[in-house]
Amino acid sequence: MIRVVAAPWVLPGLAPGAPAASAPAIADGAVALEGERVRAVGPRAEVEARFGPGERLDAVLLPALVNAHLHLELSHMKGWVAGGEGLPGWIQLFVAARRRTREGEPEEAMGMAAEDLVRAGVAAVGDISNTLDSLAPLAAAGLGGTIFHEVFGFTPERFEEARAAARQVREAAAPPPGLRVVESPHAIYSTNAAALRALLRSGPGSLHLAEDPAERAFCATESAGPFGRMYATLGAALHALRITGRSPVDAVKAELRPHHLAVHCVDLDDEDLRALAATGATVVLCPRSNRYILGALPRLEALLAAGIPLAVGTDSLASAPSLAPLAELALLRREVPAVAATRLLPLAWNGAALAAPHVGRLAPGAAPGVLAAPLEGARPPDPAEWLVSTFGAEERPFTWLARQRPGPERPE
Ligand SMILES: [Zn+2]
């Protein structure tokens, strides 16, 4: 049974063979669906000639999105932590606030936040978890992607203890197909050098990197800066344990691979950009969180010019107002007007970075998840611009035409 859906505009997602570019929008287009799978995408006349007349939707059709960096388990902390003081100050406020968490509070908030992700058009996540408590709500909402199970600890003893405990939690977990769990580091300032390098060498992972200039001070200066002061009790041992380099990127570049996500990357100089590009790692931008915590934004144009693979995330509700990836792109579109919406949307279609390569492209045979963004009578000349700057900026809810399904693609 083939279902044909026609609309004034179809955005096919990533261009075939071009992971960082949008395929051109199709005016008066259609999508043929067989169950959750895409059979064909193209001009309505061509699709209807093959599969019969379609139902007409007043909408922009597009593949489902990714949120490549969030912390679902912090969803109950929305509005709990004031920003504007920079990362070291924010972390101290955050740790104190998290202690106020009441029994059952995270679970309730995670269920609602997972449903919000679906309304925001998200099919695949890069979720950061300390507990793996986010696995059940993500699975229940039908979300795929990767859960990065964070392990940290500054002294070798604390780290090994945390790593062993995390391994036990992971062994007891049963992720559904399409949702993978991997061990992951947290940041250069929360793990000693040897452990951080070992985690990065062990396989795919996600690392908060160069979020704040304090990280540069931590690895590049004698005093180790504000993060060094957090470890005042370690005294002399801090200097032997910490990772060093002329910058956070420099400190870890030898270990970064294409299967890594480097999250935030706000404090980058030109040498960092070149070094990051050479690693092939994907940089995940969370601009609303950066603006809230630091009052700064990543160097979008320089990252694009360097050819660095990019994705978009929201960070947690403790530092971002929602989990909607298009709202992040809307901020970038507003703040960096030289970068068009068609160049921003690939950041929200980067399923490959989350081990969900079927997400982000309306490819025949695949089940990427298909969304409709209702136009409500609007007739935008540029559907990508409308999607980001109107639909996305206003956080209007998507309608799902087909859900994502992992698994091998069937030939047409
Ligand atoms: Zn984060």
Side-chain angles (χ1 to χ4, degrees):
M1 192 34 201
I2 307 274
R3 175 188 180 199
V4 175
V5 186
W9 287 107
V10 175
L11 298 175
L14 297 177
S22 297
I26 303 165
D28 193 14
V31 180
L33 295 166
E34 185 172 20
E36 311 287 11
R37 289 191 190 274
V38 174
R39 276 293 298 273
V41 184
R44 181 172 58 85
E46 283 175 26
V47 176
E48 289 189 335
R50 285 177 66 195
F51 300 101
E55 67 187 276
R56 306 288 178 95
L57 289 186
D58 183 34
V60 175
L61 310 187
L62 66 150
L65 310 174
V66 305
N67 183 335
H69 184 78
L70 69 146
H71 304 242
L72 196 76
E73 68 190 16
L74 306 180
S75 296
H76 63 289
M77 295 181 67
K78 185 170 183 174
W80 283 21
V81 191
E85 297 291 319
L87 185 61
W90 194 84
I91 289 174
Q92 285 182 326
L93 293 172
F94 168 85
V95 169
R98 197 176 189 182
R99 290 199 197 103
R100 301 203 315 260
T101 300
R102 290 194 313 269
E103 182 83 21
E105 217 169 13
E107 288 71 21
E108 192 186 335
M110 281 194 287
M112 289 194 289
E115 287 170 25
D116 284 344
L117 282 167
V118 173
R119 267 190 291 277
V122 173
V125 295
D127 180 53
I128 309 296
S129 179
N130 305 145
T131 59
L132 289 194
D133 289 346
S134 57
L135 203 164
L138 289 172
L143 289 153
T146 301
I147 299 178
F148 297 100
H149 192 202
E150 260 179 6
V151 185
F152 50 87
F154 208 80
T155 64
E157 299 72 31
R158 276 189 77 155
F159 176 79
E160 287 310 326
E161 219 173 278
R163 193 177 199 186
R167 188 176 293 128
Q168 280 192 343
V169 171
R170 246 184 346 271
E171 281 166 3
L179 191 59
R180 109 187 136 155
V181 179
V182 301
E183 183 184 44
S184 187
H186 166 253
I188 63 157
Y189 50 83
S190 55
T191 306
N192 67 73
L196 182 59
R197 292 192 191 287
L199 282 176
L200 287 171
R201 282 191 203 117
S202 71
S206 171
L207 182 70
H208 295 86
L209 186 66
E211 182 174 357
D212 185 289
E215 285 172 66
R216 193 175 288 267
F218 180 73
C219 65
T221 67
E222 183 55 33
S223 75
F227 282 118
R229 286 195 288 280
M230 275 193 201
Y231 298 110
T233 51
L234 293 176
L238 171 71
H239 286 77
L241 291 171
R242 69 172 169 164
I243 201 162
T244 54
R246 55 160 288 279
S247 70
V249 170
D250 183 58
V252 294
K253 67 183 181 190
E255 266 69 53
L256 286 182
R257 297 285 177 274
H259 58 216
H260 287 128
L261 303 182
V263 180
H264 297 304
C265 292
V266 176
D267 177 33
L268 299 183
D269 57 29
D270 291 348
E271 209 173 322
D272 293 330
L273 285 163
R274 282 190 291 274
L276 262 179
T279 68
T282 296
V283 167
V284 182
L285 304 181
C286 307
R288 291 188 302 172
S289 175
N290 301 147
R291 196 172 62 172
Y292 183 72
I293 295 175
L294 320 164
L297 291 176
R299 297 174 61 192
L300 177 64
E301 288 182 275
L303 287 158
L304 285 166
I308 293 170
L310 298 177
V312 68
T314 56
D315 219 343
S316 80
L317 290 177
S319 60
S322 76
L323 301 180
L326 283 190
E328 302 287 338
L329 298 188
L331 172 66
L332 292 175
R333 181 75 189 100
R334 235 179 6 254
E335 297 293 329
V336 193
V339 178
T342 49
R343 293 179 72 201
L344 289 172
L345 282 169
L347 278 68
W349 283 326
N350 194 346
L354 308 169
H358 56 289
V359 172
R361 195 193 307 269
L362 298 180
V370 184
L371 303 172
L375 280 161
E376 293 166 8
R379 285 294 169 268
D382 178 346
E385 173 62 24
W386 174 84
L387 185 71
V388 170
S389 297
T390 300
F391 190 88
E394 294 173 6
E395 300 199 36
R396 298 186 196 171
F398 283 104
T399 305
W400 286 78
L401 302 180
R403 296 304 306 274
Q404 67 107 17
R405 290 282 176 270
E409 295 186 4
R410 280 190 318 204
E412 198 181 356

